[in-house]
Amino acid sequence: MSEETIFTKIINGQIPSEILFQDDLCICIKDIQPKAPTHVLLIPKKPIPRLVDATQEDAALLGHLMVKAGDIAKSLGVGDAFRLVINNGEQAGQTVFHLHMHILGDKTFTEGSLGM
Ligand code: AMP
């Protein structure tokens, strides 16, 4: 689990991406392969590989991400219905080992389904 993921390169400006929002702690970009009409990624600038690698020290950062996820969903017009997904580990579908939240909206998700 190297720290030099594609998201680190995006954060450092080495790779272009469609940035919707950023502050000192996080960046929000459009997903390059959207699974819903609205599909953005909210990524902490700190390269925590997986959610389980976060510690108590990261509690404020994780709280910040949750608040920003709501703000971003509202700003994208999906505040009333969106899905927030974190894949933790390869078997759960994680492909980029730099913690990130998927914000998915403008789609009717099957009732009770956890699929994306
Ligand atoms: P996960 O499978 O949860 O690790 O999610 C990784 C996500 O990153 C996938 O939805 C990819 O489509 C997305 N992704 C990979 N590379 C890029 C990129 N260069 N710009 C934007 N999104 C990307």
Side-chain angles (χ1 to χ4, degrees), residues 32-86:
I32 206 167
Q33 285 187 297
K35 311 277 190 313
T38 296
H39 186 177
V40 303
L41 303 171
L42 183 57
I43 309 166
K45 290 188 174 174
K46 179 176 177 180
I48 300 167
R50 304 166 301 169
L51 181 63
V52 288
D53 299 311
T55 66
Q56 191 57 39
E57 198 181 283
D58 300 310
L61 172 59
L62 298 182
H64 182 74
L65 290 172
M66 294 296 279
V67 173
K68 285 297 161 199
D71 287 349
I72 289 165
K74 279 186 270 184
S75 76
L76 294 174
V78 297
D80 286 331
F82 65 96
R83 186 164 277 192
L84 193 60
V85 174
I86 297 176

Side-chain angles (χ1 to χ4, degrees), residues 7 10 29-33 41 87 93-96 100 102:
F7 293 162
I10 287 171
I29 63 171
K30 280 201 177 175
D31 197 292
I32 206 167
Q33 285 187 297
L41 303 171
N87 295 322
Q94 186 173 3
T95 57
V96 180
H100 53 282
H102 297 257

Side-chain angles (χ1 to χ4, degrees), residues 3 5-6 17-18 20 26 30-31 36 40 42 45-46 54-55 70-71 79-80 83 90-91 93 99 104 106:
E3 286 194 359
T5 65
I6 190 126
S17 72
E18 211 168 324
L20 302 181
C26 62
K30 280 201 177 175
D31 197 292
V40 303
L42 183 57
K45 290 188 174 174
K46 179 176 177 180
T55 66
D71 287 349
D80 286 331
R83 186 164 277 192
E90 207 173 314
Q91 244 188 302
L99 176 64
L104 299 132
D106 281 323

Side-chain angles (χ1 to χ4, degrees), residues 24 54 89:
D24 288 349

